[in-house]
């Protein structure tokens, strides 16, 4: 009789709605005069894929408040159907305009973290101690962590519980050196993600530029580029099931 309430509590816990932090940049310039921000597709895809799976999504950013969107991600073929849906979705846009500040939330409050890309991350995700601690805590707890395109630059500042670089010995990807060269920003970013991951012992792999590539190793999911956002988000959500 004593065990019945305990069993009931466990059942309720297992069926509770999962909750994730969708973490975005707060930076709107890579260098003075060069507008950037979060890449819209890399926000919209995980937002809708997670929500369609019944997962609560909290948009979090480094500074909180309005998340800047890279203007280039709202043009041409980069403006995907999910981007158009997001822009017309008042609830989604309200969440983007009123993101939670990273320092105001705890890793304990979420079941997973998804790091959206965009060149703004090269400024405020890079060597960000608070973000590194947040992601490292999520990873150590066995919770799914995903990062797409330039989002993986945050992983360079993350560690395993034993103090080793988080990516060491893990299969990973991220925006490739050739893709960075193709957009003419090799000398503008603080580090090349591919080169830096390899230097930390990461087992980095890439596909041809601009083609989908999502890599899963344990509870870490990484995506190479904007085209990888759907595969990256789907793999992340699968780990939350």
């Amino acid at each position: 009789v004593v065990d019945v309430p305990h069993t009931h509590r466990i059942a309720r816990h297992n069926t509770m709605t999962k909750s994730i932090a969708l973490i975005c940049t707060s930076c709107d310039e890579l260098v003075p005069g060069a507008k950037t921000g979060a890449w819209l597709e890399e926000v919209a895809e995980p937002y809708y894929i997670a929500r369609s799976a019944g997962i609560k999504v909290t948009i979090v950013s480094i500074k909180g408040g309005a998340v800047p969107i890279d203007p280039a991600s709202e043009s041409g073929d980069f403006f995907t159907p999910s981007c158009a849906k997001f822009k017309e979705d008042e609830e989604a846009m309200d969440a983007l305009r009123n993101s939670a500040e990273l320092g105001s939330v705890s890793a304990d409050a979420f079941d997973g973290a998804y790091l959206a890309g965009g060149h703004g991350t090269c400024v405020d995700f890079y060597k960000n101690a608070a973000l590194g601690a947040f992601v490292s805590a999520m990873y150590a707890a066995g919770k799914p962590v995903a990062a797409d395109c330039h989002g993986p630059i945050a992983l360079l500042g993350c560690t395993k519980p034993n103090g080793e670089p988080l990516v060491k010995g893990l299969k990973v990807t991220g925006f490739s050196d050739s893709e960075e060269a193709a957009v003419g920003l090799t000398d503008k970013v603080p580090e090349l993600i591919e080169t830096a991951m390899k230097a930390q012992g990461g087992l980095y792999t890439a596909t041809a530029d601009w083609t989908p590539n999502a890599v899963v190793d344990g509870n870490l999911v990484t995506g190479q580029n904007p085209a990888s956002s759907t595969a990256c988000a789907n793999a992340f959500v699968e780990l939350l099931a």
Side-chain angles (χ1 to χ4, degrees), residues 24-28 61-63 119-128 131 153:
C24 303
T25 182
S26 292
C27 180
D28 66 356
S61 66
I62 303 303
K63 294 182 178 179
H119 273 95
T121 63
C122 297
V123 178
D124 62 2
F125 277 21
Y126 182 66
K127 292 188 175 179
N128 183 316
L131 181 58
I153 202 164

Side-chain angles (χ1 to χ4, degrees), residues 2 18 30 57 114 127 145 150 159 187-188 205 230 236:
V2 174
K18 296 288 180 72
L30 178 60
V57 179
Y114 194 104
K127 292 188 175 179
V145 171
H150 284 89
T159 56
D187 60 349
K188 300 293 191 297
T205 57
T230 301
F236 173 70

Side-chain angles (χ1 to χ4, degrees), residues 18-23 42-43 45-51 53-58 110-116 134-135 138-139 142-148 214-223 228-241:
K18 296 288 180 72
S19 175
I20 66 158
L22 176 52
I23 305 176
E42 295 163 23
V43 178
E45 285 292 335
Y47 179 85
Y48 285 120
I49 288 171
R51 282 172 61 97
I55 297 166
K56 179 183 177 184
V57 179
T58 299
F110 300 100
D111 299 295
Y114 194 104
L115 304 167
F134 185 97
V135 174
M138 297 285 274
Y139 181 81
K143 298 176 180 180
V145 171
D148 186 25
V215 176
V216 182
D217 195 334
N219 57 312
L220 180 65
V221 184
T222 46
S228 306
S229 58
T230 301
C232 188
N234 279 327
F236 173 70
V237 167
E238 282 182 25
L239 291 179
L240 284 160

Side-chain angles (χ1 to χ4, degrees), residues 47-158:
Y47 179 85
Y48 285 120
I49 288 171
R51 282 172 61 97
S52 68
I55 297 166
K56 179 183 177 184
V57 179
T58 299
I59 296 183
V60 176
S61 66
I62 303 303
K63 294 182 178 179
V67 173
I69 295 298
D70 190 316
S73 69
E74 298 183 78
S75 64
D77 292 341
F78 293 126
F79 194 66
T80 64
S82 65
C83 293
K85 179 180 177 182
F86 195 96
K87 290 282 286 187
E88 295 170 5
D89 183 337
E90 190 52 40
E91 182 182 359
M93 289 301 295
D94 187 63
L96 193 72
R97 287 189 292 262
N98 297 281
S99 67
E101 182 183 356
L102 178 66
S104 72
V105 298
S106 166
D108 293 338
F110 300 100
D111 299 295
Y114 194 104
L115 304 167
H119 273 95
T121 63
C122 297
V123 178
D124 62 2
F125 277 21
Y126 182 66
K127 292 188 175 179
N128 183 316
L131 181 58
F134 185 97
V135 174
S136 298
M138 297 285 274
Y139 181 81
K143 298 176 180 180
V145 171
D148 186 25
C149 199
H150 284 89
I153 202 164
L155 302 179
L156 301 177
C158 300

